[in-house]
Amino acid sequence: MKKGRTLQELAAELDRQNAAKKDYIVDADAIAMVTKDNEPRLVVESGNALTSYGALKSYGITGIAHRQIGSYLGIPASYYDRMKAKNPTLLTKNVNAWLTEASGSKRMLRTLDGNARALLSDRYRRIDNWEIASAVLPIIGGIEDARVESCELTDSRMYIKVVSPRTQAEVKVGDPVQAGVIVTNSEVGHGSVSVRPLIYRLVCSNGMVAASGAVRKYHIGRVNEANDDLSIFRDETIQASDKAFLMRLEDSVRAAVSQTSFEKIVGQMREATEAKIKADAVPQVIELASKEYGFTENEGKGILGHLIEGGDLSLYGLANAVTRHAQDVESYDRSTELEAAGYQIITMSPVLWRQMERL
């Protein structure tokens, strides 16, 4: 499991971002893209000026916001990226032409540190990282001996991964695992608030994110309304709804590390130890798994190396090779995706397993 930030570093950055970020509701046709120093930037035209920053304040555009702009305007990603890399002026012309066509619609513009970090629907429900962390961390502190094993704040998500060593079992002799929970959230439209069980393998500090028992809250709600300066206010109905959800988090976190949830997943892992992979079919199994779970060529090579090194030619061994390789990738987001893929392999469909058996 990748370590990411310390809990203290996460808390400090959440506090900083909470004070620095600004959200606005703007008319889509009042947004414009300009090019400065060969880099695209967003501005809001004077009729919809962000008055707290002054008229025509321009913003840098994050990669996430670029992708959302292209998706909203129906510009294919490959073409958008090509224009951005080779002809930013042409990108600007395309974007502005289609923004003009969007007259009458409104968007939520999320900004941080002088950058447009997301362009979302005006129905997007803001449940932010600071709120989630403020609700979850006291709950974790109340679970005896629980520890934050890893946490991170990326451009797209916040992650808090917790392990409860009091709930432990052996998948096989000498291979202990412990119960845990992963809490994630995205402020930029890359996923719901999510609470999922996490299994921590002590042998090599691997983490496996389980899909079963997940609790989610989607960022969709009533149309957001804005103050005179276009900044968004929260009405009492939205605040009450969010407060009720945050109160439910305690039950969700405790359920994720419960003995019942843990035993079910450990049972699945034990079954996977009995699903053997033929030695001469290992490369083909990696190739098939790569196609099914979206592993890149380099990831496939890394997983193959860990599978051979681990010496456990079973579905359980393959899952562990995937979660072990999760520690090697640079991106924390991708590392967590691989941890989830490990669980998907443990619980793979009978059809896919039969394909592997025939190799």
Side-chain angles (χ1 to χ4, degrees):
M1 185 184 296
K2 293 183 77 67
K3 288 299 179 184
R5 304 173 194 247
T6 66
L7 185 57
Q8 292 74 20
E9 289 170 341
L10 177 71
E13 180 60 12
L14 286 174
D15 282 339
R16 188 197 73 78
Q17 290 191 9
N18 197 51
K21 62 193 177 187
K22 288 282 188 178
D23 301 326
Y24 302 93
I25 296 296
V26 295
D27 295 329
D29 59 344
I31 303 170
M33 183 177 282
V34 298
T35 303
K36 182 178 181 180
D37 299 328
N38 216 35
E39 284 292 325
R41 297 181 67 83
L42 278 189
V43 299
V44 177
E45 295 177 350
S46 56
N48 277 254
L50 306 184
T51 55
S52 59
Y53 286 112
L56 293 176
K57 170 73 178 183
S58 71
Y59 294 90
I61 309 172
T62 66
I64 290 171
H66 269 301
R67 184 61 72 234
Q68 289 169 342
I69 292 167
S71 177
Y72 172 59
L73 300 176
I75 302 174
S78 59
Y79 182 50
Y80 189 106
D81 292 344
R82 183 180 177 189
M83 289 189 290
K84 180 176 177 291
K86 297 186 176 181
N87 195 336
T89 301
L90 180 60
L91 173 64
T92 297
K93 290 180 179 178
N94 271 266
V95 167
N96 289 337
W98 289 113
L99 282 170
T100 301
E101 292 291 323
S103 176
S105 64
K106 294 182 181 293
R107 305 301 289 172
M108 179 187 292
L109 176 64
R110 308 207 78 179
T111 71
L112 176 67
D113 298 334
N115 291 310
R117 60 181 182 141
L119 189 69
L120 302 161
S121 164
D122 62 347
R123 297 182 64 90
Y124 185 80
R125 175 69 62 82
R126 296 178 303 163
I127 306 175
D128 284 351
N129 296 330
W130 189 90
E131 295 175 284
I132 298 299
S134 296
V136 165
L137 292 177
I139 298 169
I140 293 167
I143 300 175
E144 192 171 5
D145 294 334
R147 67 181 185 274
V148 176
E149 187 67 30
S150 177
C151 55
E152 187 55 281
L153 190 62
T154 71
D155 288 342
S156 59
R157 290 182 178 86
M158 176 186 71
Y159 302 86
I160 301 175
K161 300 177 181 179
V162 180
V163 174
S164 176
R166 282 184 168 266
T167 306
Q168 179 171 315
E170 285 191 327
V171 176
K172 53 185 181 180
V173 176
D175 191 355
V177 293
Q178 295 175 342
V181 60
I182 173 173
V183 180
T184 63
N185 184 49
S186 175
E187 296 184 340
V188 294
H190 273 219
S192 59
V193 183
S194 174
V195 178
R196 291 173 288 171
L198 175 74
I199 299 296
Y200 184 69
R201 187 177 182 229
L202 274 65
V203 171
C204 52
S205 301
N206 287 1
M208 184 178 293
V209 178
S212 62
V215 176
R216 293 182 172 87
K217 172 73 171 180
Y218 294 95
H219 294 264
I220 299 174
R222 302 192 316 172
V223 173
N224 289 286
E225 299 180 15
N227 296 312
D228 291 340
D229 66 351
L230 307 184
S231 60
I232 303 167
F233 65 83
R234 300 174 71 94
D235 66 30
E236 293 181 359
T237 302
I238 291 176
Q239 289 177 339
S241 175
D242 291 350
K243 184 177 180 180
F245 171 70
L246 293 175
M247 290 175 65
R248 285 177 50 210
L249 279 179
E250 180 172 1
D251 291 339
S252 301
V253 170
R254 292 187 180 280
V257 296
S258 70
Q259 189 72 34
T260 300
S261 175
F262 179 65
E263 288 178 354
K264 177 182 177 182
I265 297 170
V266 170
Q268 293 171 323
M269 298 170 83
R270 287 170 176 161
E271 288 179 7
T273 65
E274 302 300 320
K276 302 300 182 180
I277 299 172
K278 299 173 186 174
D280 59 355
V282 166
Q284 293 93 334
V285 166
I286 297 295
E287 183 179 355
L288 183 59
S290 296
K291 290 179 181 178
E292 181 71 18
Y293 302 110
F295 305 143
T296 67
E297 182 178 352
N298 285 338
E299 288 170 350
K301 290 178 180 177
I303 292 165
L304 175 60
H306 288 304
L307 179 60
I308 294 172
E309 182 181 354
D312 180 0
L313 298 185
S314 67
L315 274 190
Y316 180 64
L318 177 58
N320 286 328
V322 172
T323 56
R324 171 59 186 85
H325 185 69
Q327 300 182 38
D328 300 337
V329 300
E330 184 176 350
S331 164
Y332 195 98
D333 293 308
R334 183 55 180 162
S335 177
T336 305
E337 289 171 355
L338 290 173
E339 289 172 350
Y343 179 75
Q344 290 177 307
I345 287 172
I346 290 289
T347 58
M348 74 165 52
S349 70
V351 173
L352 182 59
W353 172 240
R354 283 196 293 270
Q355 286 181 283
M356 291 189 172
E357 283 186 310
R358 288 196 293 267
L359 291 174

